Amino acid sequence: MLESVWARIRSLRRRLRRLERRELDAFVRWLEHTGNLIHLSVLLFVPLLIGAVTWLANATAAVSFLLFPPLASGTYTLFADPEGRYSTPTKFVGGMTAGALCGWLALESVGAAGVNGAAGVSATGAALGIFFTGALTWALDLEEPTAFSTALLVLVSGNAHFVYVLGIVVSSSFVAAVFVVWRNRFYERRAQYLYRTTDGDDHVLVPLDEGWDDDGDATPVARFAAELASAHDAGKIVLFDIVDDGDAIAESEPGPAARRLESFAAALAAEYDVPCEVVVAAGERSSGQVLRTAREHNCDLIVTPYAERDGGGLSSFIVGLFDSEIDVIAFRAAEPRQRWEHALVPVRGAGDTARAMVDFAQRVTGSWNPTSVCTCIDRESERRSAETTVADLVDAFDGRFETHVVTEPVESYLERVSLQYDVVFVGSSTDRSTASRFVSPPTFERLSDLETDVAIVHRGRHQ
């Protein structure tokens, strides 16, 4: 009885751990979207920084509460648009300080001219302060909105003009320093911290059954996988073949299939400078067998030759691979290449699969050639949003890029430009609903006529 209770408790713990992993995985995937990361950063950092400045204002007379409105607005601008025109420490601190100095100068000018006018805030001083601020920020290309705010607020600072300006310098410098650390140490390295493919997909399994050409050499799928694995220091290739004669594996000497595979593995390891293992199994080729082998050899990526069923559509073998927690690339070779130098990545957004495709494209082509990323839109009114999406996508990666936003159906665009590239990366669309795929079939299903290599990328259901 007691053992049964403990067994139930252990089972409940396992379920809770799986639930926690799924929730954490879902949160990380949500956070991988640049817009979500920025919104969360704004939600966290703006209140914390304003709270810190409030504490500073209570502790010292150098910080006036009058600077809070422009400081909060400017802080939001920094974190909400970290790559924007005004999101630099110089423009942030310089703009707020320039506005305060211009407002102070306007007050001194009005006082010297004896035109203070009626009691209250000087209308002439306000007008002059805005004029001086506009002229100075225009000339120096500084941030204008917060500069205008500090220029006006100095008018109601009483006789503490110097203290107000000093508070602007101190508080804005503090916010700018935190922003620089956040942007340089985390935001610009978010691919390293958040995106799994940049430090994963190192161990690559390549199922080669029915994957040998007429000359007895492995198809380019193995070389493609070797390029991917060799991009990481921890990379490894596992070549997996299936034979009908189980006795050949049990013999002390490997059978013909094993000898041929080991010979190719040695050549592959020498050519791409990546460790290469060989696994030969008996039986019929199935997705389940390939997945079991990948798990047994700690492989987090499967690169398999592309295959279709009779009548079109993915073969049941590839569909089975896609229905797993392991990342998969179904590779369709147009010609027997050994190197891929130019890659094109068409994307619909800046999500998980898009980032994986960009990472794979960089890994297979190297850093010496720019990676091309494109997105196709239906109308010109969508261009600005599409450009922002593509910019957010590539900004997370180091390396060289060229981006294209095209008003053209994706299949016709790829047919027109694909010959300029060695490989085109497309998503498997397995993250879309069945209804969505029925209304708009996956892009790869409409690219059968492309005369270049195609890599169909599926992101595993990480659990």
Side-chain angles (χ1 to χ4, degrees), residues 303-456:
V303 178
T304 183
Y306 177 80
E308 293 183 347
R309 66 175 184 269
D310 294 338
L314 291 175
S315 67
S316 59
F317 172 75
I318 293 183
V319 170
L321 294 181
F322 282 178
D323 189 26
S324 75
E325 81 284 1
I326 301 177
D327 294 346
V328 180
I329 295 179
F331 186 72
R332 190 183 74 197
E335 57 181 85
R337 304 180 198 271
Q338 296 186 3
R339 299 288 179 182
W340 293 261
E341 297 182 355
H342 304 283
L344 174 64
V345 183
V347 299
R348 291 186 293 113
D352 189 38
T353 301
R355 286 188 295 273
M357 292 192 295
V358 171
D359 178 60
F360 289 143
Q362 284 193 308
R363 285 164 61 173
V364 80
T365 59
S367 59
W368 50 89
N369 287 314
T371 299
S372 297
V373 180
C374 74
T375 188
C376 294
I377 57 177
D378 296 326
R379 55 190 68 88
E380 278 298 313
S381 60
E382 302 172 353
R383 178 171 296 276
R384 179 170 297 181
S385 175
E387 289 174 343
T388 300
T389 297
V390 174
D392 286 342
L393 174 63
V394 303
D395 181 63
F397 296 88
D398 294 327
R400 303 169 60 195
F401 290 94
E402 56 181 20
T403 61
H404 311 272
V405 176
V406 186
T407 311
E408 185 178 359
V410 62
E411 59 269 23
S412 61
Y413 173 71
L414 294 180
E415 288 176 1
R416 180 166 57 84
V417 304
S418 61
L419 287 178
Q420 303 173 25
Y421 301 93
D422 300 326
V423 59
V424 175
F425 287 83
V426 296
S428 64
S429 294
T430 48
D431 56 341
R432 296 165 53 193
S433 66
T434 302
S436 174
R437 293 196 298 271
F438 176 79
V439 173
S440 177
T443 300
F444 72 84
E445 293 185 358
R446 294 171 276 166
L447 302 179
S448 58
D449 295 333
L450 288 192
E451 298 180 5
T452 191
D453 295 351
V454 176
I456 303 167

Side-chain angles (χ1 to χ4, degrees), residues 19 34 79 91 93 95 131 146 157 167 194 199 211 230 237 295 301 307 368 395 406 426 440 460:
L19 179 62
T34 301
F79 286 93
K91 291 184 177 181
V93 178
F131 174 77
T146 54
S157 61
L194 296 177
D199 58 3
S230 64
I237 293 291
R295 297 184 186 109
L301 174 64
W368 50 89
D395 181 63
V406 186
V426 296
S440 177

